[in-house]
Amino acid sequence: MDLAHYPPAHRERLLALLATPPWQEVLTSGLLEEVRRTHLAPGKPRPFIDAVVAPLLAANRQQAAGLVADGCRDEDVLLDALARWPADLGAGRAGGRPPLAFLGLNLTAACNLAPRCAYCNQPWVESRVDLAGWKAIVAEATVPGAGVGPYIYLTGGEPLTLGEALWGEDGLVAYATARGAGVNVNTNATLITPLVALALVKAGLLRLHISLDTADPALHDALRGRPGLSAVLEGIMNVQLARDLVGVPYPGIHTNCVLTVRSLEAFPALFAFLLGIRRRTADPQDPLFNDLFPHVIPVGGRSNDALRPTAEGFRRFYEEVWPRVAARWDEEQAAMGLPPDKRRTLFGYFSNPYLRVAHRGGLEAYARSAAEGRYGTLALARHCYVAPTQAAFTPDGAQYRCGAHAIRHALPLEDGASAGLYERIAAGLPGLGALPTPEHCDGCALATLYINQEAEKRLRAEVQALLHGEEGPAQPAATVPEALDEI
């Protein structure tokens, strides 16, 4: 197998791993040939922003135009008119349902790592949904043959503790992929054996988010409460080998770096480590061009106040640490021969919690707010436009408007034996008008903040078009690479 696209030292690690008994057993079992013949292709997620803006304009532009014709010139009044989701949205009417763009399934609170990580503050929630129940939710959220589907984010706990119910031939990943969804699994990677890696490729998994806070073994072990950096690296390498052996560019890997006062200064070393193990490509259009790059996730929860950077620490991270890493990435691209106009900024859309969205008051205000654990409060839009295009579930089957509410167990949507996913979304519309509020939304996910801000920009552009008697600005669909980088 040609591994020339990896740095030499990492290539040797991959070849050594390939020679171990677990890989040799797989290679002699016939599984590889089966995966090559029968693997699924990942589904294509629908563009997140278009999923919000298009139905709002279809439902409300005529009414807003009527307000203008009656003499209204108040831009906020017109924006409010465009932003209103129809009251009868979705309930029993497939044609009137919003195009679901994101479905978050917290499959289990169980984890194979004990004691749990130093910053883990997830409460125990009893698992009341079995594989058939999760499949039923996916079935309602997807339309086979539609060409696009929701981005389905499978997390835990550690979802790989579910074994074949997750990655098996009849498991949830393959089921959702076959129905057109783009599927992500959020994992600590320690359970990704050669068999699991090949099974995930076979199931058409689009993406893995792998937790990796530092490349320093001592710091890693202190944050995780046990030795194990090598196990994470082995899980990553198993995926790399599986992809190359089958000859596919999926699943792509993103790394989740929880930013704490202990890992803040180690971020440049983490990035250098990732550059040393990533598959190198000089083509920015390559699906793996951003492979392994980290998402920075500031540590959350009141229980983690002692681990949270100070305001000065956040300022230093964004003014000093981040620019160093950004410069290192630019140097790497230059070394690959990319001219300045072809190079990508660091690293896609959701890596930098401060730079990716607009925060009122700038860095100084953001640093103070972040030091209190209120990462989203200065970036909230006038409305929560995105909620009816999202759904998130906890292991007990409770449904929430978004992933951030599910994490906090805040404002669960109406339940009932006969209520389905869309019926709950419709039932939650009366309370949507009161959101966002700092009380419930100061921990809003960066992806949701971005989608809300971009949706508001497009709707305000429509307001200007109405005020000037124009047909309205073109609303181009986000390209698939842009849509994928948004989560």
Side-chain angles (χ1 to χ4, degrees):
M1 182 174 56
D2 181 14
L3 297 175
H5 43 268
Y6 292 104
H10 191 58
R11 188 185 316 148
E12 294 304 314
R13 283 191 290 263
L14 289 169
L15 290 172
L17 182 61
L18 193 61
T20 61
W23 266 110
Q24 289 302 304
E25 181 178 348
V26 164
L27 293 176
T28 58
S29 69
L31 175 61
L32 177 59
E33 289 73 19
E34 178 186 337
V35 175
R36 285 172 173 165
R37 290 194 313 271
T38 64
H39 64 84
L40 300 175
K44 182 184 295 185
R46 58 175 47 93
F48 302 101
I49 300 166
D50 290 347
V52 175
V53 174
L56 285 176
L57 292 180
N60 299 321
R61 197 174 194 276
Q62 184 175 353
Q63 179 191 2
L67 291 174
V68 172
D70 291 340
C72 178
R73 292 295 183 270
D74 188 313
E75 294 182 13
D76 284 343
V77 169
L78 295 172
L79 175 65
D80 294 347
L82 288 176
R84 190 175 300 115
W85 286 94
D88 62 346
L89 180 72
R93 296 169 50 245
R97 292 173 174 174
L100 198 71
F102 177 85
L103 177 61
L105 303 181
N106 187 323
L107 303 176
T108 177
C111 182
N112 64 306
L113 300 181
R116 62 187 187 179
C117 300
Y119 49 74
C120 181
N121 55 7
Q122 185 178 85
W124 177 260
V125 177
E126 183 180 354
S127 295
R128 295 177 180 170
V129 183
D130 58 11
L131 176 59
W134 292 123
K135 284 184 176 180
I137 292 171
V138 170
E140 187 176 2
T142 53
V143 179
V148 293
Y151 182 86
I152 298 183
Y153 191 86
L154 305 179
T155 187
E158 173 48 61
L160 289 178
T161 59
L162 299 179
E164 293 190 44
L166 182 75
W167 49 259
E169 191 166 333
D170 191 41
L172 190 59
V173 174
Y175 180 80
T177 299
R179 294 184 64 86
V183 185
N184 171 88
V185 170
N186 190 45
T187 176
N188 61 43
T190 61
L191 296 178
I192 303 180
T193 64
L195 173 63
V196 171
L198 282 169
L200 291 173
V201 169
K202 182 180 181 181
L205 183 66
L206 175 68
R207 176 167 296 160
L208 281 162
H209 277 137
I210 292 178
S211 300
L212 183 60
D213 306 319
T214 177
D216 181 334
L219 179 56
H220 176 277
D221 295 351
L223 289 172
R224 296 295 173 91
R226 73 199 65 78
L229 182 59
S230 61
V232 178
L233 179 57
E234 184 171 320
I236 291 172
M237 291 193 296
N238 283 332
V239 174
Q240 291 175 323
L241 286 171
R243 292 185 312 203
D244 279 350
L245 285 164
V246 179
V248 295
Y250 56 83
I253 302 173
H254 282 188
T255 49
N256 287 344
C257 171
V258 177
L259 187 67
T260 68
V261 68
R262 302 175 71 177
S263 61
L264 185 152
E265 299 292 350
F267 186 69
L270 172 63
F271 181 59
F273 172 77
L274 293 172
L275 288 179
I277 67 171
R278 67 188 289 271
R279 181 184 186 276
R280 288 180 172 170
T281 172
D283 179 7
Q285 302 305 315
D286 190 310
L288 297 180
F289 185 75
N290 286 341
D291 203 42
L292 285 180
F293 283 158
H295 288 197
V296 174
I297 304 172
V299 67
R302 293 269 68 89
S303 63
N304 285 319
D305 285 350
L307 285 172
R308 187 171 293 110
T310 63
E312 174 57 31
F314 279 110
R315 281 193 296 270
R316 187 169 68 256
F317 183 76
Y318 293 114
E319 289 182 338
E320 301 175 17
V321 176
W322 188 271
R324 292 205 311 270
V325 177
R328 178 68 183 85
W329 172 226
D330 195 61
E331 293 169 2
E332 179 76 8
Q333 294 182 91
M336 291 189 294
L338 283 173
D341 63 330
K342 299 294 185 182
R343 297 174 198 168
R344 295 285 185 89
T345 55
L346 191 70
F347 315 99
Y349 291 95
F350 287 97
S351 292
N352 187 308
Y354 171 65
L355 292 178
R356 189 50 193 157
V357 298
H359 297 268
R360 291 179 292 278
L363 180 57
E364 185 70 27
Y366 172 79
R368 291 195 302 268
S369 179
E372 298 172 358
R374 299 182 298 113
Y375 301 110
T377 192
L378 299 177
L380 298 175
R382 182 175 177 86
H383 298 283
C384 180
Y385 308 94
V386 70
T389 69
Q390 297 194 0
F393 288 79
T394 46
D396 55 3
Q399 182 176 336
Y400 297 82
R401 290 185 175 90
C402 63
H405 282 190
I407 290 171
R408 296 185 173 197
H409 299 269
L411 304 177
L413 295 175
E414 180 178 310
D415 201 1
S418 61
L421 181 155
Y422 286 103
E423 284 71 27
R424 295 190 189 100
I425 290 176
L429 287 176
L432 182 61
L435 299 174
T437 63
E439 177 187 2
H440 297 109
C441 305
D442 63 1
C444 185
L446 189 61
T448 306
L449 291 171
Y450 174 76
I451 296 167
N452 270 327
Q453 287 192 0
E454 291 300 307
E456 184 163 292
K457 287 178 185 177
R458 292 197 190 183
L459 293 177
R460 286 194 180 278
E462 291 286 349
V463 168
Q464 292 301 314
L466 289 168
L467 289 172
H468 292 87
E470 302 169 4
E471 287 298 317
Q475 301 292 344
T479 65
V480 170
E482 289 174 337
L484 296 186
D485 278 344
E486 286 174 357
I487 294 295

